[in-house]
Amino acid sequence: MVCATTLQRKMLLLPVWASMLLGLLMGFVPVVGMEPTEGAKSDFDHAPNTEPLPSSSGTNCSQLTLKLEFSSKVVEHEYIIAFTGYFSAKARSLYISSALRNSGDRTLEWHIVPRQNPASDFPSDFELVHIRQASPSSLLTLEDHPYIKRVTPQRKVFRMLKYIPSPETAAPCNATRQSWQSSRPFRRTSLSLGSGFWHATGRHSSRRLLRAIPRHVAQILQADVLWQMGHTGSGVKVAVFDTGLSEKHPHFKNVKERTNWTNEKTLDDGLGHGTFVAGVIASMRECQGFAPDSELHIFRVFTNNQVSYTSWFLDAFNYAILKKIDVLNLSIGGPDFMDHPFVDKVWELTANRVIMVSAIGNDGPLYGTLNNPADQMDVIGVGGIDFEDNIARFSSRGMTTWELPGGYGRVKPDIVTYGSGVRGSGLKEGCRSLSGTSVASPVVAGAVTLLVSTVLNRELVNPASMKQALIASARRLPGVNMFEQGHGKLDLIRAYQILNSYKPQASLSPSYIDLTECPYMWPYCSQPIYYGGMPTIVNVTILNGMGVTGRIVDKPIWQPYLPQNGDHIDVAVSYSPVLWPWAGYLAVSISVAKKAASWEGVAQGHVMVTVVSPAENDSEAGGELTSTVKLPIKVKIVPTPPRSKRVLWDQYHNLRYPPGYFPRDNLRMKNDPLDWNGDHIHTNFRDMYQHLRSMGYFVEVLGAPITCFDASQYGTLLMVDSEEEYFPEEITKLRRDIDNGLSLIIFSDWYNTSVMRKVKFYDENTRQWWMPDTGGANVPALNDLISVWGMAFSDGLYEGDFTLADHDMYYASGCSIARFPEDGIVIAKNLKDQGLEVLKQETAVVEGVPILGLYQTPSDGGGRIALYGDSNCIDDSHRQKDCFWMLDALLQYTSYSMTPPSLSHSHSRVAPPTGTERPLPQRLEGNHLYRYSKVLEPHLGDPKPRPLPACPHLSWAKPQPLNETAPSPFRSRQSSFFLRFLVRIFECLYVVLGLTMAALSANFPDVSGRLAQFVEQAHIYRGLFLDAACPGFEVDFRTDRPVAGSCKFQLVSSQIFGLNWALNSRRERTATPGVISS
């Protein structure tokens, strides 16, 4: 009877299916209740459960939060000597002996430190040497040897993990969740141990309650689609650089090799993080990984005490190259992109076709916090999102800061994926949940490993082609800018489609420049361009999938579209002379032509770039592969704003770590001692920039000396937290500019030589105690700049809360005003003497500390000057209470000569200080600022200014105008009838087979399971033919749906993804822990 009833129900469905099939073929009838759009999944499919999956064992039950403390130091007397090539141990020893003999120091004691690891039997490009009491001259003699490239100190890294009771509501037993808190280390550290804080919006929470079994991240990203097609990572070598892995862990079936690079005599994981990362990539049961059949190569590079050395990583990297590793997941990161041995070795790895995936960092939501090596062009940098597709709060943001101050940062991360509450393998068995960008990193590494296994011709897979596939297929997240999400969220299936039809080519990241597209193109879209403004610089990355090396042929060509006013803009392009490894840069400078000084509108054009690479497998000698790419440009132009509305930000005189020791502006931040965020309006001064734009100001960036801008165009020059010295010519020009109407606002910071000596640390390059080369700001240099007006800052160091003009304020490690003109306005407050606290651990309150000064210069038509002793209130890094209201008031004063009554009539106004109470601060004796300065150079032990450099000169490209309309980004009605017909066929197959499978799943699970494979393959082929029928991107990235009227919009007659909830529900009902079968 039951069978008869079931059969009757199925018979009743046949007319429905038949009518639906006819409607689909004719293109008329959409599925009822579904929008006719592609790519928007049902809420059932799009709202994964974030609760942990119960462990199969009761031994993995804990409710703990893991807190990280980090420190770093050098190993005394040990040096890493890098060679120009790979040499045997005997040859390396001979070269070192020869170099040290030439030093003339006969008392020098040295020996080569033995390295007992799997790489010791092979030639190497470095040696670890113990040199007792090495003098600078002996180190220089080493570097003079023709086969020695560089000498750097050996580094020792500590990661201290402390388990503390979790303050959150306890999760069910056997459902361990841990969060990792970042301390923003100033050296390379594990990003697996980053912040676990993320904010859920609560969307779809009621629907998540319907899930009986939570899905794993591999299934959420539809890895099971590729598993059912027979792809499980087989034949792909993936390396995990972490804390090791137990030999007999039940989750892994293909651990090819475990190697130990530490000084501990074990291969096992004593902490669990390496096991977790390996599980996300290749676990075969319970918390399933992406590529269970891949070859796992475990590199144990951290001890159970969380200690590692640079030499361990260099040896392990060399061994990875020797073993021909395909994919490498790296769970460390730090701000030092000038750590040459490490960075050079990463380049060498990728040049040897190793696809490196690395976490972008856990220092969000602050901008300018990208970690190395994820910020390198040849590495896939991964950011984190939660399961509701929100950017994780902890995920670091761009831009890169390598290029500052003269240029502009690149777009990073490359992509984002799930990094909050992700499940992976427990230490011995079972599963656990962790959060952090290094949780997102193995998600991408596992997906990359799986994708490599789907490609028949492995020669096509390289670091560039894989990154091209990932970023071209990524799903754009709405409402999120490119410095947060990169190219978007990882889409495994789309990446598979692109990779399996891939042909070697060059591509660009970003692939277009649209200064009108907000918020994705922030900050470019936040301010239109105009005649007379500083050129807008967009730093584009060139990815070269044709070969590890390449070059740009001739010069890029600028082609403006005349119907779209392209002749209203000028374009200059600079680029990498050589693309290596796999990538290079294309810096595009955009400016407005003089004829558009009073014009408003949109201008468009494109830049054409041709890249060539040697053909690796070409039978003919000298064969080359060629690829031409087009970079569309679209800008919004407005008439030149009035001078009073234009603010110029001085970037040229801001210095940051690396390379030098530039301390934080707030001395309370002991766990974040270095100033490494770039001090740019689009990094740690982002909120200030956004505020100024909302107030109607136009903010531009000066990346050259003060002598290189036309002061008559600007109302105010804004100097914040300046660490650089000034050329004498700059001081002279600024005085002349202010006499002619330019105004100046300076936000200073602390400078005290006694405190600077107190915050010293052991120098890793000179092997000496290293004092900061400046304080929070270079106050002596600022005093030189403003002395002509009788102004100066002091070396006092103050801190405290106060109220100014009914606003709560906090002074964080600021200085005071030591001298000011008698007819100026000075505001003073009672503050704590922080210098006394730092030096003597004593507390004292100082009354009447001058902190703010306003002055109108006496010359006819002269500008105005405003000084404030602390920048932390406008700096996002450690700001506690903002003072944007005060910046508004100061700009009203400098731009419009409107003295704020709240300041001029303040009860805190005092008589200007005369500077006679104490001497002005002097430069720290013996400082090494000249090593990193663009202004100073060494001169007989007494640094002096360099010759003033020439102002940057842009060579504007000669336009080759096109008298044609700019092509639409959406190509419509250009696909063949045959391809459209195939799309319809596979769409119908997907719908019909999917409904049949759902109807049979309850009573005929075996038949339903076999149908599932055909359903998924129909889905894949339908997508492939759809992309072939409608080439190019035809999706509105704001909604992730086909654009109305586009080719894909016409073809997508049903929202077939709406069936995914049924397919996924069937998988969850039938899923059982066990080995994944292909």
Side-chain angles (χ1 to χ4, degrees), residues 54-116:
S55 169
S56 61
S57 171
T59 62
N60 194 23
C61 178
S62 62
Q63 309 298 333
L64 297 174
T65 296
L66 198 58
K67 184 178 180 180
L68 168 70
E69 293 182 1
F70 178 84
S71 65
S72 173
K73 69 175 185 178
V74 298
V75 182
E76 192 173 9
H77 308 310
E78 288 189 4
Y79 296 87
I80 294 173
I81 299 179
F83 294 91
T84 57
Y86 283 79
F87 301 101
S88 67
K90 183 178 180 180
R92 298 195 304 269
S93 177
L94 288 174
Y95 296 152
I96 295 171
S97 299
S98 173
L100 291 177
R101 279 198 303 270
N102 293 334
S103 69
D105 187 353
R106 303 303 177 187
T107 63
L108 195 66
E109 299 179 16
W110 67 275
H111 67 269
I112 294 175
V113 179
R115 309 197 308 273
Q116 301 299 326

Side-chain angles (χ1 to χ4, degrees), residues 908-1039:
S908 300
R909 182 173 177 178
V910 298
T914 61
T916 58
E917 294 81 3
R918 57 191 298 178
L920 297 179
Q922 300 298 312
R923 291 169 177 84
L924 180 66
E925 185 177 351
N927 76 80
H928 300 116
L929 183 62
Y930 64 88
R931 294 178 177 174
Y932 325 109
S933 172
K934 301 178 291 294
V935 177
L936 298 178
E937 64 180 0
H939 179 69
L940 300 176
D942 184 20
K944 67 174 186 178
R946 304 172 187 267
L948 180 70
C951 295
H953 175 71
L954 292 175
S955 182
W956 301 106
K958 184 178 180 180
Q960 297 183 12
L962 298 176
N963 193 19
E964 60 185 54
T965 303
S968 168
F970 313 114
R971 189 183 304 181
S972 60
R973 301 181 180 278
Q974 294 183 6
S975 55
S976 68
F977 172 81
F978 179 68
L979 288 173
R980 289 168 176 260
F981 178 74
L982 289 176
V983 172
R984 297 289 187 202
I985 290 295
F986 282 99
E987 189 173 76
C988 294
L989 285 173
Y990 180 80
V991 173
V992 173
L993 292 175
L995 290 173
T996 305
M997 184 194 70
L1000 296 176
S1001 60
N1003 298 311
F1004 302 98
D1006 294 339
V1007 176
S1008 177
R1010 286 194 292 270
L1011 279 175
Q1013 298 183 29
F1014 293 105
V1015 171
E1016 303 291 9
Q1017 291 184 18
H1019 182 190
I1020 295 294
Y1021 284 112
R1022 176 235 181 230
L1024 289 172
F1025 286 121
L1026 181 61
D1027 286 340
C1030 305
F1033 292 104
E1034 296 190 314
V1035 174
D1036 185 338
F1037 290 118
R1038 298 170 181 80
T1039 62

Side-chain angles (χ1 to χ4, degrees), residues 51-55 174-176 213-214 216 286-287 423 431-433:
E51 289 193 5
L53 185 68
S55 169
N174 298 334
T176 306
I213 300 175
H216 304 292
E286 294 183 276
C287 30
R423 296 183 56 75
C431 301
R432 68 199 300 194
S433 294

Side-chain angles (χ1 to χ4, degrees), residues 79-83 86 125-127 143 149-155 188 309-311 313-315 317-318 336-349 372 376 764-765:
Y79 296 87
I80 294 173
I81 299 179
F83 294 91
Y86 283 79
D125 62 341
F126 79 97
E127 193 66 87
E143 292 186 339
K149 180 168 61 175
R150 188 178 294 113
V151 179
T152 54
Q154 163 84 317
R155 295 180 180 177
R188 214 173 294 278
Y309 291 84
T310 301
S311 60
F313 275 101
L314 300 183
D315 268 331
F317 284 152
N318 282 340
D336 189 1
F337 53 79
M338 298 185 73
D339 180 4
H340 294 292
F342 193 93
V343 172
D344 289 352
K345 189 57 66 175
V346 170
W347 282 337
E348 186 179 350
L349 272 167
N372 180 266
Q376 294 183 207
E764 299 186 0
N765 295 312

Side-chain angles (χ1 to χ4, degrees), residues 119-133:
S120 58
D121 296 331
F122 302 96
S124 178
D125 62 341
F126 79 97
E127 193 66 87
L128 183 61
V129 178
H130 184 281
I131 307 177
R132 191 162 188 81
Q133 297 179 344

